[in-house]
Amino acid sequence: VQLQASGGGWVQAGDSLRLSCAASGRTLSGYVMGWFRQAPGKERELVAQISWSGGRTFYADSVKGRFTISRDKFKNTVDLQMNSLKFEDTAVYYCAARFGTAAEYPYWGQGTQVTVSS
């Protein structure tokens, strides 16, 4: 599975951005998709996750109510809508995929930079 993330950029606090992750190489059928981020000097953290069906989602406490993860099975894409962005959301964002109940994410996109100015 090859993943390509896009949509990052520079915005002001309170603005919105939409990240998109496109998969190629195979269908994402059965794959759980996640968005992670890593800020300078910090460990990578899971921001949001969505099941194959889209019926189950997870959000980090820091983004609940502001971020929404969604997927389009036909387009083989996963998006992350980020609203009310804060300075602390500044990070490189990565999309990742894991199959079924696998414990770890073996497939990663290249990352896209999100910079939020206060």
Side-chain angles (χ1 to χ4, degrees), residues 32-36 44 46 48-50 95-99 102-108:
V32 174
M33 300 299 297
W35 280 98
F36 290 74
R44 186 170 59 196
L46 176 62
Q49 177 177 286
I50 188 167
C95 61
R98 61 176 173 86
F99 186 78
E104 297 184 354
Y105 283 83
Y107 306 105
W108 292 84

Side-chain angles (χ1 to χ4, degrees), residues 58-67:
F58 164 85
Y59 296 95
D61 288 343
S62 58
V63 306
K64 279 181 182 177
R66 299 188 299 121
F67 290 12

Side-chain angles (χ1 to χ4, degrees), residues 6 33 41 46 49 55 58 65 77 81-82 84 92 94-95 97 100 114 116:
S6 62
M33 300 299 297
L46 176 62
Q49 177 177 286
F58 164 85
T77 58
Q81 177 66 41
M82 306 186 295
S84 302
V92 178
Y94 302 88
C95 61
V114 173
V116 184

Side-chain angles (χ1 to χ4, degrees), residues 25-81:
R26 65 164 298 156
T27 176
L28 292 176
S29 176
Y31 282 80
V32 174
M33 300 299 297
W35 280 98
F36 290 74
R37 69 185 180 187
Q38 187 166 21
K42 295 186 177 181
E43 293 191 355
R44 186 170 59 196
E45 64 171 336
L46 176 62
V47 175
Q49 177 177 286
I50 188 167
S51 63
W52 158 241
S53 68
R56 287 181 293 173
T57 56
F58 164 85
Y59 296 95
D61 288 343
S62 58
V63 306
K64 279 181 182 177
R66 299 188 299 121
F67 290 12
T68 302
I69 189 171
S70 61
R71 67 189 303 167
D72 187 320
K73 297 178 184 178
F74 300 102
K75 294 182 179 179
N76 233 21
T77 58
V78 178
D79 290 353
L80 184 68
Q81 177 66 41

Side-chain angles (χ1 to χ4, degrees), residues 5-13 15-20 35 80 82 85-87 89-93 110-117:
S6 62
W10 179 91
V11 296
Q12 293 187 326
D15 286 351
S16 298
L17 271 179
R18 188 176 185 90
L19 305 182
S20 186
W35 280 98
L80 184 68
M82 306 186 295
L85 282 162
K86 303 176 181 180
F87 173 76
D89 294 320
T90 296
V92 178
Y93 284 71
Q110 85 287 5
T112 184
Q113 176 71 45
V114 173
T115 303
V116 184
S117 63

